[in-house]
Amino acid sequence: MSRTIGTGNGGRATGLPTLEEVAARAGVGRGTVSRVINGSPRVSEETRALVEAAVAELGYVPNRAARALAGNRTDAIALVVPEPEDRFFAEPYFSEMVRGVGAALADTEMQLLLTLAGNDRERKTLAQYLAAHRVDGVLLVSMHAGDPLPDLLEQLSIPVVISGRRAADETLAAVDSDNFEGARAAVAHLTARGRRTVATITGPLDVYGAQRRLDGYRSGVAGAGLDADPRLTAVADFTEQGGRLAMRKLLEDRPDLDAVFAASDVMASGARHVLRESGRRIPDDVALVGFDDSAVARHMDPALTSVRQPTEEMGRTMARVLLEEIAGPSPERPQIVLPTELVVRDSS
């Protein structure tokens, strides 16, 4: 059957050039030609140029449907966000991630399917969809500890790349930002400005990235020889309302605090409202730093100092890694950590 389909893909029965003839003209293997046509990054620029020249010289036209059937391919990947719809649309992080993934796929024939799975019913429906092998690979964003989706994908042998590791010993291909160093740099900035009672609002601690930001905060506090009072830490959920509630608790427990590092810009926005309600001036009385360097940070008043993580680049990198895995599975599962940068504005 696959040979028949392959013939339909511009084969000898039609008098059109075949994939094998393109490979022979370029002096490479059939698999290399396939990777170039499928947009895989796992090809050198020199080889890619040879293949593209052979395609142009021979007038080879790949038949997308035939290629998909012959290789049991769908030419589609899923971007799965296991979060409620309201959080997806409230956080700039997700839109920037989608933008990066879309940019990486723009020159390929891959379709991108965006799926939200914020409750048990949606997750069950998603699991059934994936079990039917309707996509060639999956990008998972915003992973929580204990989420069954990664293990399900492994059982189904579906290529997967996740945004943010689930643990230090992550077994799947993953792209992350340097959460630890970003948080440590934020605290170092605050202490260098003379702040001595630095609090933090963390994300949910079943998210490894939130754990690492808390670890970075603790490292910065310890490095400055400051008070490690647990009352200076409040756990939230990466939402604006969570930032408000956490800030109220911090002010109740340690009204003498003079700085706050919030583990997301959205939570920092919530914290700012509470600080103003309490009569604290930013940054005169309390300095404030966020994480993400999203549009929220730039549009706050005062503009928010924030740790920039390259979210769009993370999306592009995730897509490139997944395309490589789809084009030719490798036993190596890359663990890529992209650097962060502190962007100083008026809030600190």
Side-chain angles (χ1 to χ4, degrees):
M1 177 63 75
S2 62
R3 278 197 291 269
T4 301
I5 293 171
T7 301
N9 183 23
R12 299 180 193 282
T14 64
L16 297 175
T18 66
L19 198 70
E20 287 77 8
E21 288 169 339
V22 173
R25 175 65 64 92
V28 299
R30 185 181 188 280
T32 300
V33 175
S34 179
R35 282 193 288 273
V36 171
I37 291 172
N38 284 309
S40 169
R42 195 182 293 169
V43 181
S44 70
E45 289 304 316
E46 180 181 0
T47 300
R48 187 183 305 280
L50 288 172
V51 171
E52 290 175 346
V55 167
E57 290 169 9
L58 294 174
Y60 175 76
V61 180
N63 182 304
R64 180 183 174 196
R67 284 193 293 106
L69 289 170
N72 194 27
R73 292 272 301 275
T74 66
D75 279 344
I77 64 174
L79 174 60
V80 177
V81 182
E83 297 287 353
E85 182 177 312
D86 56 352
R87 187 181 167 208
F88 176 84
F89 287 106
E91 286 197 34
Y93 172 87
F94 295 113
S95 61
E96 291 176 13
M97 184 69 69
V98 172
R99 188 180 303 118
V101 172
L105 299 180
D107 294 329
T108 75
E109 293 184 332
M110 283 287 186
Q111 299 180 67
L112 179 63
L113 307 176
L114 175 61
T115 303
L116 304 183
N119 57 50
D120 291 340
R121 181 184 59 80
E122 292 173 344
R123 286 167 187 253
K124 182 178 180 180
T125 300
L126 174 63
Q128 293 171 344
Y129 184 85
L130 296 176
H133 288 270
R134 294 180 179 175
V135 296
D136 295 326
V138 175
L139 300 169
L140 287 177
V141 179
S142 188
M143 295 306 304
H144 294 257
D147 193 313
L149 277 175
D151 292 334
L152 171 65
L153 292 168
E154 283 220 275
Q155 292 169 12
L156 296 172
S157 298
I158 297 176
V160 57
V161 180
I162 64 176
S163 169
R165 293 164 291 173
R166 295 170 293 170
D169 56 351
E170 179 58 68
T171 58
L172 297 176
V175 179
D176 207 349
S177 64
D178 195 340
N179 293 294
F180 177 91
E181 180 55 30
R184 191 208 62 76
V187 175
H189 165 73
L190 290 168
T191 58
R193 294 287 176 94
R195 307 295 170 155
R196 311 312 296 167
T197 310
V198 183
T200 187
I201 299 173
T202 83
L205 296 181
D206 63 342
V207 174
Y208 185 63
Q211 295 175 28
R212 293 300 287 158
R213 291 176 196 179
L214 178 56
D215 290 342
Y217 159 81
R218 288 170 172 165
S219 176
V221 168
L226 298 181
D227 184 2
D229 185 349
R231 294 177 299 168
L232 288 170
T233 297
V235 179
D237 59 359
F238 286 134
T239 68
E240 183 174 347
Q241 179 62 14
R244 288 174 183 263
L245 295 174
M247 192 68 249
R248 289 192 186 108
K249 184 176 188 307
L250 289 171
L251 289 176
E252 288 174 5
D253 292 345
R254 288 296 304 261
D256 59 328
L257 62 83
D258 60 7
V260 178
F261 164 58
S264 79
D265 292 345
V266 174
M267 293 195 299
S269 177
R272 182 199 62 161
H273 287 293
V274 173
L275 287 169
R276 283 188 164 177
E277 289 170 359
S278 71
R280 267 79 164 185
R281 297 167 300 165
I282 302 172
D284 304 68
D285 302 319
V286 179
L288 183 62
V289 176
F291 200 109
D292 287 332
D293 191 37
S294 63
V296 172
R298 296 186 291 276
H299 295 152
M300 277 177 57
D301 178 24
L304 181 68
T305 295
S306 184
V307 178
R308 175 181 295 161
Q309 62 172 340
T311 310
E312 194 168 329
E313 177 59 26
M314 289 168 65
R316 286 194 294 268
T317 303
M318 288 177 67
R320 287 196 295 266
V321 171
L322 185 62
L323 288 174
E324 288 185 11
E325 183 66 16
I326 292 170
S330 168
E332 297 182 3
R333 291 176 169 176
Q335 304 286 311
I336 299 171
V337 178
L338 300 177
T340 54
E341 174 190 0
L342 184 69
V343 179
V344 178
R345 298 190 178 93
D346 295 339
S347 69
S348 62

